Amino acid sequence: MKRASLEVTIYVSATTLATMLIAYWAWRQGGLAAVPAAPLLMMMTPAAVALIMSKLQRGSIRGEDGLGLRMRGWKQALAAMVAMSALTSLSIGGSLLVFEPLRAPVQEAVSHVMLPIDLAPSVKIALALVITALIGPIVNLPLMLGEELGWRGYMAPRLRQIFGQFGAVIGGAIWGGWHWPAILLLGYNYQDARFTGALLFPLICIALSVLFTRAREASGTVLAPALMHGALNQTAAAAVAILYVQDRFNPLIHAPTGILMIATLAIPALWAYRGLRGREGRSS
């Protein structure tokens, strides 16, 4: 357990330092407008540090007891991806239902859809969102592995050794805090509410961490949380761009970054938490 604690400390310190340096550099250059690729660079740091540490420790990259980068568990991974897309869509739909002025008119929404086919506007919008939710995570899998090889591949098993099930909660808090340089310096996700957003975002990350960790354990592959991560990002980005009136979007309230997202994830996360493995590797 002492070794696991040391490894987590080194991993979190190195990953956080690398992210802070990237965020500070991007801030000095003028922010996200000047360096739009900064978030992508930050996303690569967890995997880079995890791979370096695994190499130094002669750990497994493909094995379930290592980073879990293996090609088994595809059925569970794809099912988890679809479930994450559905949860994200549910939260977006809840935001539109509760806050009707947030909803963009159909003709305005369809103007953001690039599908070169002649369909009724509502059908075209729905088809674009479905394609994005199901194909986008697979296309963007390498980018999502940039985070998930680190958080759920390297860090999560070690936190389980130290804290048991509660390690997924600790991991979510660490993951949320890792975003602070991007939020506070660059306004990532919360451009006009940086300090409040920095407090709120870890709550979302804790719920997601539990879900992602459960999928990683159930499938035996880190591809499952990577696909879930991609499903969240792709579904949310497309839905917000197409369905929302942009100047009415409040990232502190509306999904995917606000309290409505937390409300949507709470019950599934509690259910997933009950199925997480304890220190000995057995489900409780």
Side-chain angles (χ1 to χ4, degrees), residues 8 22 24 30 39 43 60 68 80 83 94 123 226 232 243 245 250 268 273:
V8 168
I22 294 171
Y24 178 72
M43 287 176 65
S60 169
V123 175
L232 167 69
L243 301 178
V245 176
N250 186 334
Y273 184 80

Side-chain angles (χ1 to χ4, degrees), residues 183-201:
I183 295 173
L184 295 173
L185 288 178
L186 306 177
Y188 183 71
N189 285 339
Y190 303 96
Q191 183 62 47
D192 298 319
R194 301 187 185 193
F195 290 100
T196 308
L199 297 175
L200 180 66
F201 198 63

